[in-house]
């Protein structure tokens, strides 16, 4: 078994005999970026045999047929089709079966009325006006409440990203590495920052009713800590099973084919715990140790760390509130019944005026009405796997990249970036660098600062004079 030497070290992957690249490609010395620091060749654990080294990345994926029915949609993909012609992200794939049912119903009503003698099922269209107002009111209420939950979920994940960035900076920049244990403190910082990522990933799985730890993007992050979810995974691992007919039914939006999302939790044989909350306890213990050891010497640094931990707890509670507080079932049932009743009454009201055109007219009107209805139903739970749900995988990937960016360099010293010839301290008023201004008296610097606000007005005044002369 081959072993790599880290992200930049290690041998390059060989190509197959048929010319196809290997599943995992490690860049050679010529292909590495000139800014990459060369690492020493130490034996590390081999990578997983996956096509994408980063489990959060969808960079190497393409839009397949399944992506039109399941999601969330990869927002990094760009389509050049006009918006009204795009199918990926549209609600149309899940409306195929309902529209076929409506078309068959409209065809039946129209055929009976036209082909059967002395039978006319058409009625006055006044009912369209009466019931249309009620249907529009119900759909508006359903859409507004659904989008409110969607927006609230996005705010929670925005707050999570903001808090993770702040906590990562506290761990990496504010926490002091002790002289007697610099290497141990460095590794402890990285471990804590990995737990910050683990909190976000575990929260994603919890909101999708995935209570175990065997998921590819989570198992390596929490394998070293003792949690109820880890114990339950080791004792009795349950994985969802879905046949081809069930998968097709769920993709087409058939309710009788949908599984109970809490199925794995109900079948658990041991306590599942609350994995994000348990990770938060480990992070709290780490902050306590930093404070007791004097590694956070400034009081505000300790306050920032504890406030960030409290903010993570707020995100956990608020996302669970959004998830577990859907539209009251009475409203949901009534709006669904009213909408479908209106759609099934359409052929009777269009028949007298349109004849055979009733069939396409009913389908077109149903697409408009049912489209709004299905969109509200899809975004009501913003944390799921529907096409228009929030891209939680992308948010977790962003947190991973933020932690890697913060930890990429040691804490910068002020003298390293202030005392630099490329530091143009009075730009754009002056192109001179720091070393030039450092050789001048303080009075000259202050005079330049006093005159700097007038520079823009002087240029404007010269421009006006030049225009007048012309």
């Amino acid at each position: 078994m081959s072993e790599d030497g880290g992200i930049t070290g290690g041998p390059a992957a060989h190509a197959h005999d048929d010319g196809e690249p290997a599943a995992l490609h490690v860049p050679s010395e010529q292909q590495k970026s000139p800014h990459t620091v060369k690492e020493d060749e130490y034996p590390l654990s081999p990578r997983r045999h996956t096509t994408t080294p980063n489990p959060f990345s969808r960079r190497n994926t393409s839009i397949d047929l399944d992506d039109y029915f399941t999601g969330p949609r990869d927002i990094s993909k760009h389509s050049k089709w006009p918006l009204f012609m795009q199918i990926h992200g549209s609600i149309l794939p899940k409306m195929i079966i309902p529209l076929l049912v409506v078309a068959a119903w409209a065809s039946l009503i129209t055929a009976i009325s036209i082909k059967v003698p002395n039978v006319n099922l058409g009625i006055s269209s006044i009912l369209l006006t009466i019931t249309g107002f009620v249907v529009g009111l119900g759909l508006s209420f359903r859409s507004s409440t659904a989008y409110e939950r969607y927006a609230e979920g996005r705010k929670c994940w925005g707050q999570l990203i903001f808090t993770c960035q702040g906590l990562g900076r506290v761990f990496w920049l504010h926490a002091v590495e002790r002289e007697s244990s610099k290497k141990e403190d460095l590794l402890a910082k990285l471990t804590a920052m990995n737990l910050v990522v683990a909190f976000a990933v575990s929260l994603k799985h919890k909101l999708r009713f995935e209570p175990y730890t065997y998921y590819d993007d989570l198992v390596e992050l929490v394998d070293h800590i003792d949690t109820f979810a880890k114990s339950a995974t080791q004792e009795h691992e349950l994985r969802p099973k879905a046949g081809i007919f069930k998968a097709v039914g769920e993709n087409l939006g058939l309710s009788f084919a949908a599984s109970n999302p809490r199925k794995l939790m109900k079948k658990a044989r041991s306590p599942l715990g609350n994995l994000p909350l348990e990770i938060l306890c480990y992070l709290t213990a780490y902050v306590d140790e930093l404070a007791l050891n004097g590694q956070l010497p400034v009081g505000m640094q300790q306050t920032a760390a504890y406030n960030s931990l409290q903010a993570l707890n707020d995100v956990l509670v608020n996302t669970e509130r959004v998830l577990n507080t859907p539209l009251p079932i009475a409203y949901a049932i009534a709006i669904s019944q009213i909408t479908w009743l209106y759609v099934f009454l359409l052929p009777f009201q269009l028949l007298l005026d349109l004849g055979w055109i009733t069939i396409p007219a009913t389908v077109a009107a149903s697409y408009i009405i049912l489209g709004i209805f299905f969109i509200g139903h899809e975004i009501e739970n913003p944390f799921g796997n529907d096409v228009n749900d929030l891209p939680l995988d992308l948010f977790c990937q962003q947190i991973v990249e933020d932690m890697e960016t913060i930890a990429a360099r040691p804490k910068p010293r002020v003298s390293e970036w202030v005392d630099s010839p490329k530091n143009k301290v009075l730009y754009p008023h002056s192109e001179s660098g720091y070393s030039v201004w450092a050789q001048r008296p303080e009075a000259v610097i202050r005079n330049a600062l006093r005159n700097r606000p007038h520079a823009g007005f002087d240029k404007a005044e010269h421009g006006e004079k030049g225009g007048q002369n012309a």
Side-chain angles (χ1 to χ4, degrees):
M1 182 179 295
S2 62
E3 295 182 344
D4 61 25
I7 298 176
T8 57
H14 297 284
H16 295 295
D17 295 338
D18 56 0
E20 295 181 358
L24 176 60
H25 175 69
V26 181
S28 61
E29 295 295 335
Q30 292 78 11
Q31 295 172 327
K32 293 178 183 177
S33 171
H35 304 287
T36 303
V37 179
K38 184 177 180 180
E39 299 179 4
D40 296 330
E41 297 290 343
Y42 287 103
L44 302 179
S45 299
R47 297 179 185 269
R48 289 168 170 260
H49 296 285
T50 55
T51 56
T52 305
N54 186 353
F56 305 96
S57 177
R58 298 186 64 185
R59 186 175 300 174
N60 297 328
T61 61
S62 59
I63 297 180
D64 300 323
L65 180 62
D66 185 62
D67 293 330
Y68 290 95
F69 300 93
T70 59
R73 185 173 64 93
D74 188 0
I75 61 177
S76 64
K77 303 296 182 181
H78 173 69
S79 176
K80 295 184 178 180
W81 287 94
L83 192 61
F84 70 94
M85 297 180 64
Q86 294 182 17
I87 301 298
H88 189 217
S90 171
I91 199 65
L92 180 60
K94 289 191 175 181
M95 293 182 61
I96 295 176
I97 299 300
L99 291 180
L100 290 177
V101 173
V102 171
W105 172 254
S107 301
L108 177 63
I109 299 302
T110 305
I112 292 176
S113 300
I114 295 178
K115 294 297 184 179
V116 178
N118 301 324
V119 176
N120 188 0
L121 300 178
I123 59 177
S124 174
S125 61
I126 190 64
L127 193 61
L128 281 172
T129 305
I130 299 175
T131 57
F133 173 76
V134 179
V135 172
L137 186 64
L139 292 178
S140 176
F141 175 71
R142 176 62 182 269
S143 299
S144 61
T145 54
Y147 185 76
E148 182 180 357
R149 299 183 68 212
Y150 184 89
E152 184 70 18
R154 182 61 184 94
K155 291 178 182 178
C156 290
W157 275 87
Q159 179 66 25
L160 175 61
I161 296 174
F162 170 78
T163 305
C164 290
Q165 292 175 351
L167 197 57
R169 287 188 292 108
V170 170
F171 290 161
W172 190 253
L173 300 178
H174 295 327
V176 178
E177 297 174 5
R178 296 165 294 184
E179 292 294 334
S180 59
S181 56
K182 273 185 173 289
K183 182 174 62 176
E184 290 77 8
D185 291 343
L186 174 62
L187 295 178
K189 286 182 178 182
L190 296 176
T191 303
M193 296 175 75
N194 285 341
L195 284 183
V196 174
V197 176
F199 177 87
V201 178
S202 62
L203 178 61
K204 176 194 71 172
H205 288 291
K206 180 177 177 59
L207 297 176
R208 292 177 177 175
F209 306 108
E210 298 168 346
Y212 296 99
T213 61
Y214 54 75
Y215 312 105
D216 290 338
D217 56 354
L218 181 62
V219 59
E220 303 294 350
L221 294 173
V222 298
D223 193 47
H224 60 290
I225 60 177
D226 184 21
T227 61
F228 284 103
K230 176 184 175 182
S231 300
T233 304
Q234 294 174 348
E235 293 175 7
H236 185 72
E237 180 180 311
L238 291 176
R239 294 179 182 266
K241 299 179 181 179
I244 182 64
F245 297 104
K246 187 177 185 63
V248 171
E250 290 180 348
N251 291 339
L252 293 178
L254 302 179
S255 59
F256 59 82
S259 301
N260 183 358
R262 296 175 173 84
K263 186 176 181 179
L264 294 179
M265 304 173 66
K266 296 176 66 175
K267 288 187 175 183
R269 298 182 181 179
S270 56
L272 297 174
N274 189 333
L275 186 55
L277 183 60
E278 294 177 74
I279 294 174
L280 196 57
C281 293
Y282 281 93
L283 287 173
T284 304
Y286 176 70
V287 174
D288 286 344
E289 188 167 339
L290 291 179
L292 294 175
N293 292 340
Q295 293 180 260
L296 293 177
V298 182
M300 285 302 298
Q301 296 172 353
Q302 301 179 14
T303 302
Y306 285 113
N307 287 343
S308 297
L309 294 176
Q310 186 60 39
L312 292 180
N313 205 346
D314 290 341
V315 171
L316 173 60
V317 174
N318 289 332
T319 51
E320 290 180 337
R321 172 179 55 82
V322 173
L323 178 67
N324 298 320
T325 314
L327 185 69
I329 190 63
Y331 277 113
I333 293 176
I335 293 174
S336 178
Q337 292 174 341
I338 293 172
T339 303
W340 280 104
L341 180 62
Y342 181 82
V343 168
F344 281 117
L345 290 178
L346 278 176
F348 299 98
Q349 302 172 77
L350 300 177
L351 185 60
L352 295 178
D353 297 327
L354 301 181
W356 287 107
I357 307 298
T358 299
I359 301 174
T362 302
V363 173
S366 300
Y367 174 76
I368 298 173
I369 298 171
L370 295 179
I372 300 176
F373 174 76
F374 276 93
I375 291 175
H377 178 73
E378 181 170 306
I379 68 174
E380 186 179 23
N381 176 16
F383 308 125
N385 290 305
D386 292 325
V387 176
N388 289 287
D389 287 337
L390 292 174
L392 302 187
D393 293 316
L394 181 63
F395 298 158
C396 292
Q397 180 186 352
Q398 180 179 346
I399 294 175
V400 171
E401 294 174 352
D402 291 340
M403 295 297 107
E404 292 176 351
T405 301
I406 293 173
R409 296 178 178 86
K411 182 178 180 179
R413 298 180 180 272
V414 177
S415 58
E416 295 176 353
W417 51 275
V418 173
D419 188 4
S420 171
K422 296 182 180 180
N423 178 22
K424 301 177 181 179
V425 291
L426 268 69
Y427 182 84
H429 178 67
S430 173
E431 294 286 341
S432 300
Y434 174 87
S435 57
V436 175
W437 286 101
Q439 297 175 359
R440 298 175 180 176
E442 179 184 353
V444 175
I445 299 176
R446 295 194 179 277
N447 288 335
L449 293 176
R450 181 184 296 273
N451 296 328
R452 184 168 58 173
H454 301 280
F457 291 93
D458 294 340
K459 292 179 180 179
E461 183 177 349
H462 289 311
E464 292 178 359
K465 292 183 178 179
Q468 294 175 357
N469 294 334

